[in-house]
Amino acid sequence: MLSEVPSEDILFNFKGGFVDAIAPDLAAGFGLRRTDLDVEVDNEGLLLRGAGRFGPAPVEFAWKEVFEGQDKGSTLNATAVVTPDLMNAFGFAARTFMQGEAEVELSAFGRGRDFEEIDAEFDFTDAALDLSDIGWIKPYNVPAKGVVRYGSDENGNAIATGDIVAEGLELAGEVLFSGAAGIQRAAIERIYAKDQIDLRGDFVRSPDGAIKIDVSGPFLDASPWIDELINMGGAGEGPGANVSAKVAVNKLKLREETSLTNAKLVLEMSPEAVERGLISGTIAPGKGVEATMETDGEDRIVSLRSDDAGFVFQTIAK
């Protein structure tokens, strides 16, 4: 009879469960409650399966953890109903654009509770979405789906890629976050809302907080904020950071009846105001327009060149 048994020769297998279990403070201040849980554990790993509530959201999940070997780590698969309150707790300001509920299927991979990769598929059919800043609003019971993939780079910065697709809308790109500094870089594959915007490009925040935006595409409807462009450099709130923005579009809508082709919009802004700006483009074959503005202390220096005075009047006049 052995007095000492090598650990690899000890085999065990346990199956059990819990009823109405609680696991507090798992993430973002929320935990599992009212959860019925099945547990299986043996030498190779741990499997938890159950259904309950994660904060305000009903959830079904399976958590598998492999102790050793090539597959060592944790895998979480879950389905849940997500509310704006729950999304807000994870840093998404959902109350500003969402009402109702969204279904989500989530897969996560990592070590223990530290997940290195998270994939989430959203179904927003039962939610109302308000993205009026880009001219798109979705009522309840209209299909809309989205996918978000979360990971990290070699420096530990969080990277989220994803896309949202619905009738008249497509949002796709990749965003890099760096701790409390927030968004550091965004690669916009496409931001599209029917008859409002169709652009792609880049957003970069430098270490000193300055922001650079460079986008281009087929179309931009600037009519909702054309008055601000005309008055650029005037009194008003600035962006709160140094911003350099370049926009190049095939067609730039200025008013209901006026637009430019081959248009360019360039803005240089201090934290307090627009310092320099340029709008240029083609009115019609052989006719163009270019307007520039630059601040000099309290004064604004405006220069305008146009081959069509009527176009300028239509655009400036409300």
Side-chain angles (χ1 to χ4, degrees), residues 132-135 188 190-200 213-226 229 245-256 258-267 278-280:
S132 51
D133 285 346
I134 60 171
I188 305 167
R190 193 183 192 195
I191 175 170
Y192 167 79
K194 185 178 180 181
D195 299 327
Q196 298 294 324
I197 186 172
D198 191 355
L199 297 174
R200 54 194 48 81
I213 301 169
D214 192 346
V215 294
S216 61
F219 181 73
L220 175 64
D221 181 359
S223 60
W225 34 277
I226 184 60
L229 281 177
K246 296 180 181 180
V247 181
V249 290
N250 297 345
K251 182 177 180 180
L252 177 66
K253 182 178 178 180
L254 300 175
R255 299 282 190 192
E256 194 62 37
T258 60
S259 62
L260 295 172
T261 58
N262 300 317
K264 181 188 297 183
L265 171 63
V266 179
L267 296 175
L278 175 145
I279 303 175
S280 65

Side-chain angles (χ1 to χ4, degrees), residues 261-312:
T261 58
N262 300 317
K264 181 188 297 183
L265 171 63
V266 179
L267 296 175
E268 297 289 340
M269 294 170 274
S270 69
E272 295 78 25
V274 177
E275 300 293 334
R276 287 173 293 278
L278 175 145
I279 303 175
S280 65
T282 300
I283 302 170
K287 294 183 178 181
V289 64
E290 180 177 287
T292 62
M293 185 283 302
E294 186 169 356
T295 59
D296 183 8
E298 297 295 323
D299 299 324
R300 282 189 298 157
I301 302 170
V302 178
S303 175
L304 175 65
R305 182 196 63 78
S306 176
D307 298 317
D308 189 333
F311 175 90
V312 174

